[in-house]
Amino acid sequence: MTDLDAATSERATLETAPTRYIEGDGIRFAYRQLGPSTGTPLVLLQHFSGNIDAWDPAVVNALASDRSVIAFDNAGVGRSTGKTPDNVVAMARDAVTFLDLLGFSKVDLLGYSLGGCVAQQIAPEHSSLVRKLILVGTAPQGGEEHLLAVLEEAFSHTEAPDPRLPLFFTQSAASQAAGKAFLDRVYTRKEDRDIDNGSAVTDPQAKALITWCATPDPEHALLRAIEQPSLVVSGSHDTMLPAGNAYAMFKAMSNAQLILYPDSGHGALFQHHSLFVSQARAFLDA
Amino acid sequence: MTDLDAATSERATLETAPTRYIEGDGIRFAYRQLGPSTGTPLVLLQHFSGNIDAWDPAVVNALASDRSVIAFDNAGVGRSTGKTPDNVVAMARDAVTFLDLLGFSKVDLLGYSLGGCVAQQIAPEHSSLVRKLILVGTAPQGGEEHLLAVLEEAFSHTEAPDPRLPLFFTQSAASQAAGKAFLDRVYTRKEDRDIDNGSAVTDPQAKALITWCATPDPEHALLRAIEQPSLVVSGSHDTMLPAGNAYAMFKAMSNAQLILYPDSGHGALFQHHSLFVSQARAFLDA
């Protein structure tokens, strides 16, 4: 970035930042960079089917108040070119390509759902690149997932204005209200929104997530190879990737803190956004 | 308290505060009160065998920076008179007597280990008295405990300067160093220290804790009756009351947040004292 670009990033929010592009290895990656360019950048790895505008501005902007935060579309997703792979290993390879293109030699990763699987894949292989890990609403290799059943159920709620209301939030009044507030925040940006993903993205992503969970790793070899300080977060009633995954990950990892939130689903970090941001910042700054 | 007493409490620390006494129902309770008398007082319920000076000044003083914090000896313990009961129900009754004597109509409770059992007993029966609960290193009724085995093991470490080093901390260098720092803090106070407990306290307390865990509550009826917002905290490698208790409690409770710390034992809140205090304050202030 130029100095002018840097100054623009520092003032920008997820809703106002321009989408930038960087190209390499045949992929043009779309991304937005927010916050001051001090300290270790925090790179966000997005969930199944999500694009840059599926992140919660309340989470991203607050995290970017005192660090550089980068949201991006991995290969094939949203406005990035290339083909969406059908496996986590290739997604991790593409994400590392993106980090290399931005010239980062040290990053923190926040991996959410499928992005959390990608983060688990990157961390042990790139131990000098990754400083700390935040793993939210995700599963270990060989973990428990109910993706297809939950998607089917969510899309049967034809009265819901957005499948994320039944998918990411519990049925309690408090959680549904938090879900509606989340959607309001997500749709604040009107101009230059990211492109919604179709089946060319979601089909291989679903295969990648299902295969990840169907691949046995009874000794949690991958998790045990993660030496970076990690924060594992889940909602109490995540129907897609149940909280038992987070507890199993915590037990297998050598340096993890576990935080589980009450009355919350897959979108626990958006429902409890203030609490999550304060805990994530404390973890990253420790 | 008089105004002068209140001003003294506000400036005092656990190491410097005078021990005060209040009497009722035939028991003279010893206690120390710290911090400004604003907001909801936080009352600490101590672990098996512990007295007022077994609390970590780093935890208590930091919590008392912006609220009233009360450490006390329940009936029979330390400098309090009366008989130590051999069951949690009677301990809860005595603790409520103490709260009534201080004239509190609303409190937050931090129950640690056996004190966490007492807090679980008090909360549902006194729903208007208790605002929020912090349950650390504890077990649900019917939970898993290894008290006697762990005590035997700890006291076999004749080279350890204090049984709390093997009991409360893991064998890692980092945890043992945190344990030594904890003991240094605990022994800072030289004058007017609380009285160490003998078997007249520890025998009935051990019976109470073992009975609590041996009493089946497969449906977690007691936990399900707790409606107060709760924060459940445990160390990853608590050998006395394993972290699985905390996870089971979180799952059974309707409004609990769970936080588990890495590489830590029964004394996780003392090892990770800065993190614990910041998270406890955020929980109490939310």
Side-chain angles (χ1 to χ4, degrees):
Chain A
M1 287 197 294
T2 66
D3 286 352
L4 184 60
D5 287 345
T8 306
S9 289
E10 186 156 356
R11 284 191 310 271
T13 63
L14 186 65
E15 304 96 305
T16 63
T19 305
R20 301 177 186 281
Y21 299 91
I22 196 162
E23 189 159 351
D25 270 6
I27 303 165
R28 192 182 76 143
F29 290 95
Y31 71 102
R32 289 185 212 144
Q33 183 158 5
L34 309 172
S37 53
T38 51
T40 307
L42 174 65
V43 177
L44 313 181
L45 297 164
Q46 184 59 296
H47 66 77
F48 165 78
S49 85
N51 61 22
I52 293 172
D53 281 311
W55 287 108
D56 186 346
V59 169
V60 177
N61 296 337
L63 287 171
S65 65
D66 57 359
R67 76 197 68 231
S68 186
V69 176
I70 296 96
F72 79 108
D73 287 325
N74 210 342
V77 174
R79 283 182 161 162
S80 288
T81 66
K83 189 167 176 248
T84 303
D86 68 358
N87 64 88
V88 170
V89 169
M91 291 173 180
R93 177 204 62 207
D94 293 340
V96 170
T97 296
F98 170 70
L99 299 176
D100 287 344
L101 286 171
L102 285 183
F104 291 145
S105 58
K106 189 71 79 183
V107 296
D108 295 329
L109 295 179
L110 189 170
Y112 172 35
S113 191
L114 176 61
C117 309
V118 176
Q120 291 172 65
Q121 186 70 45
I122 294 173
E125 285 181 41
H126 301 273
S127 55
S128 67
L129 174 64
V130 180
R131 189 185 70 115
K132 294 190 178 185
L133 275 184
I134 302 177
L135 303 170
V136 185
T138 190
Q141 199 167 290
E144 181 183 356
E145 60 84 14
H146 304 281
L147 180 65
L148 296 184
V150 166
L151 285 178
E152 192 173 331
E153 164 71 12
F155 283 101
S156 75
H157 285 273
T158 50
E159 79 288 1
D162 189 298
R164 284 172 289 188
L165 274 184
L167 269 176
F168 282 17
F169 299 88
T170 75
Q171 292 174 20
S172 78
S175 190
Q176 284 295 306
K180 292 191 179 78
F182 160 72
L183 289 176
D184 285 347
R185 295 193 296 270
V186 156
Y187 285 112
T188 301
R189 185 183 183 112
K190 308 292 180 199
E191 307 288 323
D192 183 38
R193 284 187 66 84
D194 203 353
I195 296 171
D196 287 339
N197 294 302
S199 60
V201 173
T202 55
D203 282 359
Q205 283 188 334
K207 183 177 173 190
L209 182 55
I210 291 167
T211 305
W212 172 266
C213 287
T215 304
D217 185 9
E219 301 295 326
H220 289 303
L222 200 64
L223 287 173
R224 291 187 195 283
I226 295 176
E227 293 179 347
Q228 291 94 338
S230 302
L231 175 63
V232 180
V233 176
S234 177
S236 58
H237 293 81
D238 189 324
T239 51
M240 204 172 336
L241 300 171
N245 286 312
Y247 184 59
M249 292 167 68
F250 167 79
K251 288 200 292 183
M253 297 173 83
S254 61
N255 191 3
Q257 182 187 164
L258 176 69
I259 301 184
L260 302 183
Y261 295 129
D263 181 29
S264 50
H266 199 58
L269 76 169
F270 306 144
Q271 178 172 342
H272 297 281
H273 58 87
S274 295
L275 185 57
F276 171 74
V277 167
S278 69
Q279 292 171 332
R281 290 175 63 182
F283 166 74
L284 293 173
D285 294 340
Chain B
M1 288 196 294
T2 65
D3 287 351
L4 184 62
D5 286 346
T8 307
S9 289
E10 187 158 352
R11 286 192 309 271
T13 63
L14 187 65
E15 305 95 307
T16 62
T19 305
R20 300 177 187 282
Y21 300 90
I22 195 162
E23 188 158 352
D25 270 7
I27 304 165
R28 193 182 76 144
F29 290 95
Y31 69 102
R32 288 185 213 144
Q33 182 159 4
L34 310 173
S37 53
T38 51
T40 308
L42 175 66
V43 178
L44 312 181
L45 298 164
Q46 185 59 297
H47 66 78
F48 165 80
S49 84
N51 61 22
I52 293 172
D53 282 311
W55 287 108
D56 186 345
V59 168
V60 177
N61 296 338
L63 287 171
S65 65
D66 57 358
R67 76 198 69 231
S68 185
V69 176
I70 297 97
F72 79 108
D73 287 325
N74 210 343
V77 175
R79 283 182 162 163
S80 287
T81 64
K83 189 166 177 247
T84 302
D86 66 359
N87 63 89
V88 170
V89 169
M91 291 173 179
R93 177 204 62 208
D94 293 340
V96 171
T97 297
F98 170 70
L99 299 176
D100 287 344
L101 286 170
L102 285 183
F104 292 146
S105 58
K106 188 71 78 183
V107 297
D108 295 328
L109 295 179
L110 190 170
Y112 172 35
S113 190
L114 176 61
C117 310
V118 176
Q120 291 171 67
Q121 187 70 46
I122 294 173
E125 283 181 42
H126 301 273
S127 54
S128 66
L129 174 64
V130 181
R131 189 185 70 114
K132 294 189 179 186
L133 276 182
I134 302 177
L135 303 170
V136 185
T138 189
Q141 198 168 290
E144 181 182 356
E145 60 84 14
H146 304 280
L147 180 65
L148 294 185
V150 166
L151 285 177
E152 192 173 330
E153 164 72 11
F155 284 101
S156 75
H157 286 273
T158 50
E159 79 287 3
D162 188 297
R164 284 172 290 188
L165 274 184
L167 269 176
F168 282 18
F169 299 88
T170 76
Q171 292 174 20
S172 78
S175 190
Q176 284 297 305
K180 291 190 179 78
F182 160 72
L183 290 176
D184 284 348
R185 295 192 296 270
V186 156
Y187 285 111
T188 302
R189 185 183 182 112
K190 308 293 181 199
E191 306 289 322
D192 183 38
R193 284 187 65 84
D194 203 353
I195 296 170
D196 287 339
N197 295 302
S199 59
V201 173
T202 56
D203 283 358
Q205 283 188 334
K207 184 177 173 191
L209 182 55
I210 291 166
T211 305
W212 172 266
C213 288
T215 304
D217 185 7
E219 302 294 327
H220 289 303
L222 201 64
L223 287 173
R224 290 186 196 283
I226 295 177
E227 293 179 348
Q228 291 93 337
S230 301
L231 174 64
V232 181
V233 176
S234 177
S236 58
H237 294 80
D238 188 323
T239 51
M240 204 172 334
L241 299 172
N245 286 312
Y247 183 59
M249 292 166 68
F250 167 78
K251 288 201 292 182
M253 297 173 82
S254 61
N255 191 3
Q257 182 187 164
L258 175 69
I259 300 184
L260 303 183
Y261 295 129
D263 180 30
S264 49
H266 199 58
L269 76 171
F270 307 144
Q271 178 171 342
H272 296 281
H273 57 88
S274 294
L275 184 57
F276 171 74
V277 167
S278 70
Q279 292 171 332
R281 290 174 64 183
F283 166 75
L284 294 173
D285 293 342

